[in-house]
């Protein structure tokens, strides 16, 4: 026998108290009791348990709230195994027998016995309490409370059966209009990083009214930020809303706005208003709509999360299915992949902008590879690499004898690409005359060879790329405005490497693996110091410069890993990364360069052209050294502009 009481509720929950085989256990709020309970509902000397000859009797000491055994008030009661003892807010279980210690609370034990014939089966559709119309029929038809309860039950059933956010909001407002005299309503949900509402759904009570619903941002924001409902039964007469200009100009007579709260967090609000001076909101409408918000808030949040998950799934699927040769997992590159996956299936002209070396042609090839023209030609033309006199013949082709040296007919690149994609790199370098002819090809989808007057139809998709700001070139007259608008149908910007530095280690390892066979060496890992130097550099030449740096490092490296001294001078000229100590040689070399530049500028009184000449450098290279060595601040302090 192991007599004891176990607290299952109250301040002493989960505690076990052994009972003496003989004697008395006093229980009460006073600390002098053997079992004190810190609970105001317990008397100072509440009750005692007397043990005698293996029998345990509980006696109430005329306590204020009484002592309960199995929910019945007692004065003297002999306890039996598993009796429940209620003392104030505490509940104890009396145990006199051993129990299986391995049984855990909450365990489930299944019984496979068959059901008795007398078992009643009930479908959810037949449950009376889930049928608002039946409930309403059982109550007086004039009871407003009955109608409200019926409406709440109906809303509760509906909102938890709709997954689509748009459909859920539409149905919720429709049901709200049935119980509240609102002419207009809106559901506003938070989530935008700018502080604006991320999701807005609004409608008029009359289904055919297509006018926009005007919502007071002041009222909605106040409700969301403070988490309190606002009722304005007489907006015009109260004077409290005179400062809210939108309400006055819209002639709103009454309004109601309640917060949508999920787990103590306000996720948005339900906004209702009316222009009718007779039909006004009252406190009962406030209570009802607040209850509607409480019922529907979780459903709205779940629908919104489901919508986001579906969009995210589509985005990730598009990224996975996009075939490309680009390297990078940064946020910037994921955005590029997402844009490319959307653009590729279309036939729209694409303008890819970005600095030199950012991979504009790789992006163009990814568009071609994932388009309906993937099996057709991809023809790349660098407008800056072909002489202006030859570019027309290169693009449009020529007839035999069209000019000196034209000994045979030749098809141009645009004609060769028929059915496929033409990639015009450095489109900003195109001469004005060629811009005009290219515009005609885009508009008419036909071309004429040099020396011919016969138009040739072509079916091509045009992708252009530039490292220039074409919008500025249009303003200065260097680029045709009409051609710019024809090219800039869909714009994609390739990020500079300095904008996605988290991709540098990934790119560096890729280039090491790629160039190791060419350099007749095994791929080598980057040392932590070399990686820090790569991350510390701005890479004005972008990915192309990084690729060249990795190839050089493989050639120059004599250790089993790539060290800082294997990297180009430009990379090492940058300030030493935080937490890394520079090699004495490189630190001394940087100091010498700094001193030479400062001395030359001092001797030429800040004339950069003369300083570069005295150092035997090109002025552009001098500016690059100043940038890499972080001399701008020092020169500015000395009154010289870098």
């Amino acid at each position: 026998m192991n007599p004891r009481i176990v607290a299952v509720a109250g301040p002493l929950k989960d505690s076990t108290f052994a009972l003496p085989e003989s004697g008395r256990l006093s229980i009460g709020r006073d600390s002098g009791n053997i079992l004190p309970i810190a609970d105001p509902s317990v008397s100072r000397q509440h009750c005692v348990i007397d043990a005698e000859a293996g029998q345990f009797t509980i006696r109430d000491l005329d306590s204020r709230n009484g002592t309960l055994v199995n929910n019945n008030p007692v004065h003297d009661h002999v306890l039996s195994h598993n009796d429940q003892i209620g003392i104030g807010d505490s509940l104890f279980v009396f145990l006199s027998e051993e129990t299986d210690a391995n049984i855990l609370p909450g365990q489930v034990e299944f019984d496979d016995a068959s059901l008795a014939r007398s078992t009643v089966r009930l479908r959810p559709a037949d449950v009376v309490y889930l049928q608002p119309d039946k409930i309403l029929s059982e109550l007086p038809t004039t009871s407003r409370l009955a109608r409200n309860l019926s409406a709440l039950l109906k809303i509760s059933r509906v909102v938890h059966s709709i997954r689509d956010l748009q459909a859920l909001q539409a149905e919720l407002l429709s049901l709200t209009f049935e119980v509240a005299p609102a002419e207009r309503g809106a559901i506003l949900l938070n989530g935008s990083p700018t502080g604006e509402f991320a999701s807005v759904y609004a409608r008029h009570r009359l289904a055919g009214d297509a006018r926009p619903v005007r919502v007071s941002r002041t009222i909605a924001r106040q409700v969301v930020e403070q988490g309190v409902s606002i009722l304005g039964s007489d907006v015009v007469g109260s004077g409290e809303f005179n400062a809210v200009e939108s309400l006055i100009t819209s002639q709103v007579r009454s309004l109601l706005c309640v917060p949508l709260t999920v787990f103590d967090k306000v996720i948005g609000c339900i906004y209702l208003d009316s222009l009718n001076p007779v039909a006004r909101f009252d406190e009962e409408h406030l209570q009802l709509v607040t209850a509607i918000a409480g019922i529907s808030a979780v459903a709205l949040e779940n629908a919104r999360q489901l919508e986001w998950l579906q969009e995210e799934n589509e985005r990730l699927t598009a990224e996975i299915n996009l075939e490309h040769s680009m390297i990078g997992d940064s946020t910037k590159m994921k955005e590029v992949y997402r844009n490319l996956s959307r653009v590729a299936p279309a036939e729209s002209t694409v303008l890819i902008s970005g600095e030199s070396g950012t991979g504009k042609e790789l992006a163009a090839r990814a568009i071609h590879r994932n388009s309906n023209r993937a099996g057709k030609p991809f023809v790349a033309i660098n407008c800056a690499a072909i002489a202006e006199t030859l570019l027309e013949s290169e693009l449009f082709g020529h007839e035999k004898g069209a000019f000196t040296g034209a000994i045979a007919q030749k098809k141009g690149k645009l004609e060769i690409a028929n059915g496929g994609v033409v990639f015009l790199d450095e489109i900003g370098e195109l001469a004005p005359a060629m811009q005009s002819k290219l515009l005609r090809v885009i508009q008419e989808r036909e071309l004429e060879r040099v020396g011919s007057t016969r138009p040739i139809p072509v079916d091509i998709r045009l992708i252009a790329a530039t490292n220039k700001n074409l919008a500025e070139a249009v303003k200065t007259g260097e680029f045709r405005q009409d051609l710019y608008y024809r090219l800039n149908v869909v714009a994609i910007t390739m990020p500079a490497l300095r904008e996605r530095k988290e991709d540098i280690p990934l790119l560096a390892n890729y280039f090491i693996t790629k160039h190791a066979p060419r350099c007749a060496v095994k791929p080598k890992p980057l040392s932590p110091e070399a990686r820090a130097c790569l991350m510390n550099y701005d890479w004005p030449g972008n990915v192309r410069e990084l690729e060249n740096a990795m190839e050089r490092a493989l050639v120059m490296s004599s250790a089993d890993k790539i060290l800082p001294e294997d990297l180009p001078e430009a990379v090492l000229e940058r300030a030493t990364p935080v937490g890394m100590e520079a090699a004495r040689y490189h630190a001394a070399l940087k100091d010498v360069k700094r001193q030479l530049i400062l001395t030359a500028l001092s001797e030429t009184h800040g004339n950069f052209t003369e300083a570069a000449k005295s150092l035997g450098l090109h002025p552009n290279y001098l500016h690059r050294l100043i940038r890499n060595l972080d001399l701008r601040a020092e020169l500015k302090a000395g009154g010289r502009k870098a």
Side-chain angles (χ1 to χ4, degrees):
M1 191 172 182
N2 180 21
R4 61 205 182 279
I5 57 173
V6 178
V8 295
L12 303 175
K13 183 180 178 181
D14 297 331
S15 301
T16 301
F17 303 93
L19 297 176
E21 293 186 4
S22 62
R24 169 172 287 189
L25 175 72
S26 59
I27 303 173
R29 192 173 78 248
D30 195 278
S31 58
N33 290 285
I34 297 174
L35 179 54
I37 303 176
D39 180 357
S41 62
V42 176
S43 299
R44 293 183 178 278
Q45 283 79 37
H46 197 100
C47 63
V48 296
I49 298 177
D50 289 324
E52 185 177 354
Q55 180 174 286
F56 296 86
T57 304
I58 187 166
R59 292 185 173 87
D60 183 69
L61 302 178
D62 296 324
S63 62
R64 184 173 69 253
N65 294 318
T67 302
L68 306 179
V69 175
N70 299 326
N71 289 324
N72 297 312
V74 298
H75 188 270
D76 290 276
H77 181 84
V78 177
L79 294 173
S80 301
H81 181 66
N82 274 338
D83 273 351
Q84 295 183 4
I85 304 168
I87 302 172
D89 291 334
S90 297
L91 181 65
F92 298 88
V93 177
F94 171 72
L95 299 175
S96 59
E97 301 173 7
E98 294 296 335
T99 57
D100 189 351
N102 294 323
I103 296 178
L104 298 175
Q107 278 190 316
V108 174
E109 186 176 286
F110 290 99
D111 186 353
D112 294 327
S114 60
L115 294 173
R117 288 188 178 183
S118 60
T119 301
V120 177
R121 300 175 184 269
L122 182 66
R123 295 175 301 171
D126 298 328
V127 177
V128 173
Y129 293 108
L130 294 180
Q131 300 180 50
D133 294 335
K134 280 193 175 183
I135 294 176
L136 193 58
S137 66
E138 297 293 328
L139 295 169
T141 56
T142 57
S143 171
R144 184 174 175 182
L145 177 61
R147 289 197 302 273
N148 290 348
L149 289 174
S150 176
L152 287 175
L153 183 55
K154 187 176 181 181
I155 289 172
S156 179
R157 288 188 61 195
V158 169
V159 298
H160 291 97
S161 63
I162 301 175
R163 292 185 177 182
D164 180 73
L165 181 61
Q166 189 87 348
L168 176 59
Q169 292 177 113
E171 188 65 23
L172 184 59
L173 283 181
S174 295
L175 293 172
T176 304
F177 287 150
E178 292 182 9
V179 293
E183 295 181 38
R184 307 180 298 184
I187 297 176
L188 314 173
L189 300 178
N190 284 337
S192 171
T194 62
E196 293 295 318
F197 292 104
S199 174
V200 176
Y201 181 86
R203 56 160 293 190
H204 290 264
R205 186 186 195 94
L206 298 176
D209 196 337
R211 292 174 299 168
V213 173
R214 192 168 188 181
V215 174
S216 170
R217 182 184 281 107
T218 304
I219 299 297
R221 272 278 146 235
Q222 186 177 340
V223 168
V224 170
E225 290 171 4
Q226 298 179 7
V228 295
S229 302
I230 291 180
L231 167 64
S233 57
D234 185 8
V235 172
V236 177
S238 68
E240 185 180 348
F241 300 97
N242 288 342
V244 185
E245 185 179 346
S246 59
L247 297 179
I248 304 303
T249 56
S250 299
Q251 298 182 331
V252 172
R253 295 304 181 98
S254 60
L255 69 86
L256 183 58
C257 189
V258 301
L260 291 161
T261 307
V262 177
F263 301 126
D264 297 327
K265 179 183 177 183
V266 179
I267 65 165
C269 64
I270 298 177
Y271 182 96
L272 305 171
D273 69 18
S274 175
L275 309 181
N276 191 335
V278 177
R280 295 180 178 179
F281 300 117
D282 55 29
E283 290 192 19
E284 193 163 342
H285 292 126
L286 174 65
Q287 293 279 348
L288 179 60
V289 178
T290 302
I292 291 172
I295 291 172
S296 57
V298 173
L300 286 167
E301 180 67 4
N302 289 342
R304 182 166 63 165
Q305 291 295 328
L306 180 62
E307 185 180 83
W308 180 85
L309 287 171
Q310 289 172 338
E311 291 175 355
E312 185 71 2
N313 183 52
E314 291 173 5
R315 182 186 70 78
L316 292 173
T317 301
E319 285 185 16
I320 292 170
N321 294 335
L322 180 72
E323 293 183 32
H324 62 87
S325 302
M326 291 171 283
I327 307 294
D329 291 328
S330 62
T331 303
K332 292 272 188 181
M333 287 307 295
K334 286 181 179 179
E335 184 180 351
V336 169
Y337 301 149
R338 187 161 57 250
N339 291 336
L340 292 177
S341 66
R342 292 173 180 167
V343 168
E347 287 292 308
S348 305
T349 301
V350 182
L351 179 62
I352 304 173
S353 58
E355 298 177 7
S356 294
T358 51
K360 296 188 288 294
E361 183 170 346
L362 291 178
R365 290 187 181 275
I367 293 173
H368 171 250
R369 194 184 307 174
N370 294 274
S371 71
N372 296 328
R373 298 174 182 261
K376 302 294 183 179
F378 178 88
V379 179
I381 304 166
N382 190 326
C383 300
I386 303 174
E388 184 179 339
T389 54
L390 301 176
L391 187 57
E392 183 177 6
S393 174
E394 192 72 17
L395 285 175
F396 303 105
H398 61 257
E399 297 290 347
K400 181 180 178 181
F403 51 84
T404 303
I407 58 175
Q409 184 191 74
K410 177 188 175 183
K411 289 185 177 181
K413 293 287 183 70
L414 297 178
E415 191 176 348
I416 292 171
N418 191 38
V421 172
V422 174
F423 174 58
L424 294 177
D425 199 7
E426 304 300 347
I427 190 73
E429 304 299 329
L430 208 59
M434 290 302 300
Q435 293 179 26
S436 177
K437 293 183 178 182
L438 179 62
L439 177 63
R440 184 177 182 279
V441 173
I442 297 173
Q443 289 176 331
E444 306 297 334
R445 295 295 166 176
E446 61 181 26
L447 57 84
E448 293 179 5
R449 298 190 189 122
V450 177
S452 173
T453 57
R454 182 176 62 88
I456 301 171
V458 288
D459 173 25
I460 56 172
R461 183 181 187 182
L462 195 63
I463 302 176
T466 181
N467 61 3
K468 282 187 171 183
N469 187 332
L470 289 189
E472 287 297 323
V474 168
K475 291 180 182 178
T476 58
E478 297 175 20
F479 201 83
R480 290 181 64 108
Q481 187 179 49
D482 46 6
L483 178 58
Y484 171 67
Y485 290 132
R486 284 287 183 178
L487 295 173
N488 194 33
V489 177
V490 178
I492 292 178
T493 301
M494 298 300 293
L497 189 54
R498 63 180 172 276
E499 296 174 356
R500 55 179 187 112
K501 286 194 171 183
E502 58 266 45
D503 287 333
I504 289 176
L506 188 65
L507 284 162
N509 289 326
Y510 170 77
F511 291 134
I512 289 170
T513 304
K514 175 184 174 182
H515 291 293
R518 287 183 53 196
C519 300
V521 296
K522 292 182 179 180
K524 299 180 180 182
L526 284 167
S527 67
E529 296 79 12
R531 184 181 292 107
C533 289
L534 295 178
M535 297 291 286
N536 196 47
Y537 184 53
D538 281 341
W539 301 104
N542 294 297
V543 179
R544 190 178 294 127
E545 184 183 5
L546 176 61
E547 181 175 6
N548 293 339
M550 291 300 96
E551 185 175 0
R552 177 193 186 278
L554 281 171
V555 173
M556 301 300 294
S557 176
S558 57
D560 58 353
K561 60 177 67 175
I562 293 176
L563 303 172
E565 50 262 38
D566 301 323
L567 302 175
E569 284 290 318
V571 177
L572 299 178
E573 284 167 358
R574 290 287 292 171
T576 305
V578 177
M580 174 182 156
E581 186 177 347
R584 288 178 59 193
Y585 168 77
H586 294 296
L589 193 60
K590 279 195 285 187
D591 287 340
V592 170
K593 287 181 179 180
R594 290 169 60 88
Q595 194 56 49
L596 283 171
I597 292 170
L598 292 172
T599 301
L601 286 169
S602 177
E603 291 174 351
T604 58
H605 306 289
N607 188 314
F608 283 86
T609 304
E610 290 299 321
K613 186 176 180 181
S614 69
L615 292 169
L617 303 174
H618 191 281
N620 290 345
Y621 183 61
L622 176 59
H623 279 285
R624 198 201 76 181
L625 284 171
I626 291 171
R627 183 177 64 250
N628 287 346
L629 294 168
D630 289 332
L631 287 172
R632 287 181 176 177
E634 194 170 340
L635 293 173
K636 189 176 181 181
R640 294 184 291 267
K641 293 183 179 179

